[in-house]
Amino acid sequence: MKKLLLLSILFCIILSSCEDIIEVQDISNESIVLLAPAENTVVTDSVVNFVWNEIPDVDIDAYRVQIATPSFESAAQIVLDSTLTLDSTFIGTRVSQKLSNRAYQWRVKAINSAFETAFTVNDFTVDVPSN
């Protein structure tokens, strides 16, 4: 009986110690700030640079970036749906995409090992002048 009690106590100590080490920040109430293209921007270049701010003082594992035309609610096409994992090959908060003249929505959310933010969404239009 004493061995069982001792094992139970030891097991509880080990579990509580692991929880302290593996604690993951809850980012579900955080928000991504989209910088460019800003809301209702008209982009006059076919290569569009999508840029957003990091969430300060938060560990992020990846960003999910999506682009739809004309909108996510009535998408005729999902142009981009990509999860950008932050590692030695991708460190940043930007991505580029070649797009045709039309209306789009883009959105980004942050992801860590246990939580994710809601998507932040902006509308924009590509209107490259013909030569």
Side-chain angles (χ1 to χ4, degrees):
M1 188 70 168
K2 286 184 178 181
K3 284 184 180 181
L4 182 59
L5 180 60
L6 185 58
L7 284 173
S8 296
I9 292 170
L10 184 60
F11 184 71
C12 288
I13 291 171
I14 291 170
L15 280 181
S16 66
S17 298
C18 290
E19 286 178 14
D20 291 340
I21 294 170
I22 304 177
E23 186 174 325
V24 177
Q25 291 174 289
D26 182 354
I27 61 171
S28 57
N29 291 323
E30 300 290 339
S31 296
I32 299 289
V33 175
L34 304 181
L35 299 176
E39 181 67 15
N40 297 318
T41 298
V42 176
V43 179
T44 58
D45 192 336
S46 62
V47 177
V48 181
N49 295 306
F50 297 88
V51 183
W52 59 96
N53 273 346
E54 293 180 358
I55 301 171
D57 303 320
V58 174
D59 291 327
I60 302 296
D61 296 328
Y63 292 102
R64 184 156 184 202
V65 181
Q66 297 179 322
I67 305 167
T69 184
S71 68
F72 290 101
E73 190 172 292
S74 58
Q77 183 178 17
I78 302 296
V79 178
L80 177 69
D81 184 0
S82 185
T83 300
L84 306 171
T85 303
L86 300 180
D87 59 19
S88 61
T89 61
F90 179 80
I91 302 171
T93 54
R94 76 176 320 141
V95 66
S96 296
Q97 181 73 32
K98 185 170 178 141
L99 299 172
S100 303
N101 287 357
R102 61 180 53 123
Y104 295 91
Q105 274 189 331
W106 75 289
R107 63 188 184 184
V108 178
K109 71 176 172 181
I111 303 166
N112 68 19
S113 61
F115 302 96
E116 57 187 50
T117 66
F119 277 110
T120 302
V121 182
N122 273 358
D123 296 281
F124 71 100
T125 303
V126 174
D127 187 9
V128 179
S130 57
N131 293 332

